[in-house]
Amino acid sequence: MSGSIFGKLFTVSTWGESHGKALGVVIDGCPAGIALCQEDIQKELDRRKPGSNPFGTKRKESDTVHILSGTFEGKTTGTPISMIVYNQDHHSSDYSEIASYYRPGHADFTFEKKYGIRDYRGGGRSSGRETLCRVAAGAVAKKILSVLHIELFAYTKSIANISISQNHFNKDNITKNSLFMPDEKAAQQAEIYLKKCMAQQDSAGGVIECIVENLPVGLGETVFYKLQAVLGQALFSIGAVKGVEFGDGFSVSMTKGSENNDAFFADDFGKIQKKTNHSGGILGGMSDGSPLIFRLAFKPTPSIHKTQHTVTKDGKNIDINIKGRHDPIIVPRAVVVVEAMTAMVLVDLLFQNMISNMESIIKFYKT
């Protein structure tokens, strides 16, 4: 299987299965001299680990990370950083029944047809548990961004038809409720809705919004590697994502050019800025210095206990009730995954940008 490596200069390679012995990640291209310890990684993993909130899977995993290489005396050495997390609470027997049929909404059918074999224990390589590897790598990328004073944060914007209100937006509330919503009132309404879904043995979808501030101008290329194109690839690689939009997104199709264009102005210090940010911080495929804003639509969790129709491997029509421990909604635990993928992309593009013109190269080698 190819396709487990992401990035050009800051590369991330993940490995492992949901019910295997362990999962892990190898980061290549991380500069030396960055302060990094296991606690830096662990605090990010704790945000997505199973059993961390009442609306997640009941699987209990500590998701304790071990840094195997790439650091010495609390700092990165410039060599590959390898990290591992051992699986502990995997109930593989819960999945023995599904070996004979294909679960609706999962990769069972396509995986088996492509490779001729599949690990049916929790989805194997296609399981959402693989994202813990991305979160670990994202924690390292975030450390790099913090040195450059680049801040990024994501949050749950909506669950089903319950959306946050900008009038009630409070960034501090994001970590104060189990759904990671910055609007406490909306969070309470969403919790009531999710409890009803759980009672009906069903699941729900939602939207995550991400904001990045203090980005320099010029990240991204103007043709195939536009900032939104690279970010889009990274974000769509998160299994449950079904849509990504930047800035005003699809709503721009109903506006006029005079309404959608972001006018420029020079402030009192001569700095060029935009009066609005309909573009979401991207012009011509490159960051424009204003906040980068985008949203992701997540589908409902496909593993539900409600009766569903499917077929066996030999083509027999059957009804099933999926067993096991599953998230009634993916969104809250995916917030940190979105941050991680975003951080990885931005670090990789920042490194690439260092060689975008000769002046930058001369400045580096002549100082």
Side-chain angles (χ1 to χ4, degrees):
M1 173 190 287
S2 61
S4 292
I5 303 174
F6 184 80
K8 288 187 175 182
L9 299 182
F10 184 85
T11 63
V12 172
S13 176
T14 74
W15 57 268
E17 294 81 36
S18 175
H19 285 230
K21 290 185 177 180
L23 298 99
V25 61
V26 178
I27 304 169
D28 198 17
C30 180
I34 298 170
L36 184 71
C37 63
Q38 289 190 175
E39 288 72 19
D40 295 321
I41 313 299
Q42 194 62 55
K43 68 180 182 180
E44 293 294 287
L45 288 175
D46 287 347
R47 294 173 60 194
R48 74 149 300 281
K49 72 179 181 181
S52 58
N53 74 71
F55 302 105
T57 173
K58 296 302 182 282
R59 178 173 175 173
K60 297 292 184 181
E61 294 281 1
S62 66
D63 281 358
T64 302
V65 67
H66 303 277
I67 299 178
L68 304 180
S69 66
T71 63
F72 182 68
E73 296 183 341
K75 290 188 176 182
T76 57
T77 61
T79 58
I81 299 172
S82 181
M83 293 179 279
I84 189 171
V85 172
Y86 291 98
N87 288 325
Q88 298 171 324
D89 188 33
H90 44 84
H91 293 181
S92 299
S93 59
D94 289 346
Y95 297 90
S96 57
E97 183 181 308
I98 72 170
S100 63
Y101 60 77
Y102 305 118
R103 293 170 298 172
H106 286 78
D108 299 347
F109 176 75
T110 49
F111 203 105
E112 188 166 287
K113 291 300 180 183
K114 179 178 177 68
Y115 296 104
I117 187 174
R118 67 180 168 100
D119 183 348
Y120 55 81
R121 304 167 302 167
R125 185 68 178 148
S126 58
S127 168
R129 185 152 175 75
E130 180 271 342
T131 60
L132 74 82
C133 308
R134 305 171 187 227
V135 172
V140 178
K142 284 183 178 181
K143 292 284 288 188
I144 297 172
L145 294 179
S146 67
V147 175
L148 299 172
H149 305 292
I150 296 172
E151 180 185 9
L152 72 88
F153 62 96
Y155 51 86
T156 302
K157 184 176 179 64
S158 65
I159 290 176
N161 63 349
I162 302 167
S163 184
I164 65 170
S165 168
Q166 290 302 316
N167 294 329
H168 300 145
F169 188 102
N170 185 341
K171 185 179 176 182
D172 293 335
N173 282 339
I174 295 174
T175 56
K176 291 181 179 179
N177 61 77
S178 58
L179 301 178
F180 296 96
M181 299 185 87
D183 177 349
E184 191 59 39
K185 183 178 179 180
Q188 292 172 359
Q189 293 173 339
E191 287 184 3
I192 294 172
Y193 174 82
L194 288 174
K195 288 176 181 178
K196 290 181 180 178
C197 282
M198 294 169 69
Q200 296 167 355
Q201 298 183 319
D202 221 329
S203 60
V207 173
I208 290 176
E209 185 165 72
C210 186
I211 299 175
V212 186
E213 297 175 333
N214 303 323
L215 273 182
V217 176
L219 291 190
E221 304 296 339
T222 60
V223 187
F224 296 117
Y225 292 95
K226 291 179 169 66
L227 175 55
Q228 69 267 36
V230 183
L231 269 174
Q233 179 190 356
L235 299 172
F236 271 118
S237 74
I238 303 171
V241 173
K242 306 303 289 185
V244 178
E245 64 174 11
F246 295 85
D248 288 355
F250 278 91
S251 66
V252 300
S253 63
M254 296 181 287
T255 63
K256 299 176 182 177
S258 57
E259 299 168 325
N260 182 62
N261 288 343
D262 296 311
F264 289 104
F265 74 99
D267 63 18
D268 295 338
F269 301 97
K271 182 180 179 180
I272 298 176
Q273 299 188 57
K274 300 188 309 182
K275 289 187 176 181
T276 53
N277 192 20
H278 300 298
S279 68
I282 301 175
L283 288 173
M286 298 171 285
S287 57
D288 63 20
S290 54
L292 173 63
I293 303 174
F294 57 88
R295 288 165 295 282
L296 303 84
F298 281 78
K299 71 176 184 178
T301 315
S303 290
I304 55 176
H305 297 298
K306 186 183 286 287
T307 301
Q308 300 182 84
H309 307 298
T310 188
V311 295
T312 62
K313 294 170 66 173
D314 56 7
K316 180 182 177 182
N317 293 308
I318 60 171
D319 290 338
I320 61 168
N321 296 90
I322 295 176
K323 300 177 182 179
R325 300 160 296 175
H326 308 286
D327 299 82
I329 185 168
I330 296 170
V331 173
R333 291 177 61 206
V335 167
V336 68
V337 181
V338 171
E339 292 179 359
M341 294 307 298
T342 303
M344 286 160 49
V345 168
L346 295 179
V347 167
D348 197 30
L349 291 177
L350 283 163
F351 289 177
Q352 293 176 45
N353 222 36
M354 294 170 65
I355 56 172
S356 60
N357 63 69
M358 199 63 200
E359 183 179 340
S360 297
I361 298 173
I362 293 173
K363 183 179 180 180
F364 178 84
Y365 282 102
K366 291 296 183 180
T367 55

